[in-house]
Amino acid sequence: MTTETRSIAGLHSGTRLATGVFALVLGAFFVWGAGFAHSDALHATTHDVRHANGFPCH
Amino acid sequence: MLVRFLLATLVAGLFVGVVMTPIQYMRVVPLILHAEAYENGGPGIEPAHHHDAGLVSSASAHGVDGKVILAHVPAGGAEANPALFESRLLGTLAANIVTGAGFALMLAAVAMLTGRRITAQNGALWGLAGFGAVALAPALGLPPELPAMPAADLTLRQTWWIMTVGLTAIGLYCLILRRETALRVAGVALLVVPHLFAAPHPADLSSPIPPTLAAEFAVASLATGALFWVLIGLSVGFAQDRMLRAEG
């Protein structure tokens, strides 16, 4: 860790890219599971949140 | 450092998910429950059979015969509620936590990939941009819908929704974070383009839901969504500020 790590924006661009893509994919996976998965169990559990957030539902 | 960045972002999102749950119960969830009374043709009908739900059915859903990927529960409600939690409130809390964590990660990822940093100062603005892309833009074509409202094919609507959110997010990036004139013009175009492709709507719009209820819900959903996103931005900014100070 060098002094550059004091700022996230100052991170080595390769590391930043990898972390950013990882966070994006992980976040999208969460949102997909809560908001979009067609599984009955997930749909029933997240039903109210899907409607509340305006995700397409039913 | 990067693990801490991810953890700080996750915690920020979890926190917002917890905070949003009682807020949704003030207005949005009561309207959903009200609408469910119209799903089976009249008021006073239990929304779902929670008593035979719970962990047993969720376990079987993941079991050998599992992978229950039968599209959606048709309007009219599930016969046997397959929810992961017996309590509807717990399910909503869990879903809010996962959604909060997911959007917090995605917002932080966008900032990181575009070389910016979300702080407590600019967090609300990042959140508002998220609201514009993820709530407001898709709502123009697919207004927040209540149970029992007529709707087109689910996959078509999800596809349109995702396309609109993606193009709007890229458009906002070009418009707000870039200085080049050509990119800004392209940004405006990207904001408009999704709405040129009509969002999927059913042929028959007749609905048992009173129009006032639907209007109240659309406004409540968007207002709650705006609060959610501002909190996500602020919370991520605050968490990252703290993390960097701790690293300092």
Side-chain angles (χ1 to χ4, degrees):
Chain A
M1 289 285 167
T2 65
T3 48
E4 282 200 341
T5 57
R6 283 184 61 94
S7 156
I8 292 169
L11 276 176
H12 184 267
S13 64
T15 318
R16 208 179 68 200
L17 183 70
T19 311
V21 169
F22 176 73
L24 194 66
V25 170
L26 185 64
F29 176 71
F30 284 171
V31 171
W32 178 82
F36 290 85
H38 286 198
S39 137
D40 270 357
L42 287 177
H43 170 269
T45 306
T46 61
H47 176 266
D48 292 353
V49 171
R50 290 184 182 196
H51 280 285
N53 282 321
F55 296 149
C57 193
H58 288 292
Chain B
M1 163 80 186
L2 293 172
V3 172
R4 290 191 60 158
F5 157 79
L6 291 172
L7 285 178
T9 308
L10 264 178
V11 170
L14 301 181
F15 168 74
V16 176
V18 172
V19 170
M20 286 313 293
T21 303
I23 294 173
Q24 286 176 349
Y25 264 80
M26 287 165 63
R27 183 98 178 111
V28 176
V29 171
L31 288 171
I32 294 172
L33 295 177
H34 188 171
E36 279 179 345
Y38 294 90
E39 268 191 332
N40 294 329
I45 291 163
E46 281 287 307
H49 303 282
H50 288 289
H51 47 85
D52 54 0
L55 296 172
V56 177
S57 58
S58 82
S60 71
H62 293 292
V64 185
D65 59 320
K67 294 256 168 197
V68 187
I69 309 198
L70 294 170
H72 45 88
V73 181
E79 284 307 313
N81 179 19
L84 298 174
F85 301 97
E86 193 145 353
S87 145
R88 188 165 184 155
L89 171 63
L90 268 186
T92 297
L93 177 65
N96 270 326
I97 286 174
V98 174
T99 308
F103 280 136
L105 280 171
M106 292 181 86
L107 190 69
V110 168
M112 180 170 260
L113 291 172
T114 55
R116 316 280 164 152
R117 197 165 85 70
I118 304 178
T119 64
Q121 274 78 45
N122 69 16
L125 293 175
W126 277 95
L128 281 176
F131 169 73
V134 179
L136 197 55
L140 282 172
L142 293 173
E145 65 200 38
L146 279 167
M149 279 172 72
D153 176 70
L154 178 63
T155 305
L156 283 180
R157 280 180 293 137
Q158 289 182 331
T159 307
W160 188 88
W161 192 96
I162 291 169
M163 175 198 75
T164 302
V165 169
L167 292 180
T168 307
I170 299 170
L172 285 177
Y173 162 73
C174 293
L175 192 61
I176 299 172
L177 294 181
R178 301 301 294 247
R179 293 282 170 267
E180 302 90 327
T181 311
L183 274 179
R184 289 191 155 175
V185 172
V188 174
L190 283 171
L191 296 184
V192 175
V193 159
H195 307 284
L196 302 179
F197 300 92
H201 283 291
D204 181 9
L205 285 175
S206 58
S207 161
I209 299 281
T212 317
L213 190 63
E216 282 178 358
F217 179 75
V219 174
S221 163
L222 284 174
T224 313
L227 180 63
F228 168 77
W229 275 102
V230 167
L231 287 177
I232 285 277
L234 284 174
S235 177
V236 168
F238 181 77
Q240 296 197 1
D241 281 356
R242 281 206 55 159
M243 188 201 68
L244 284 178
R245 268 207 306 276
E247 291 279 326

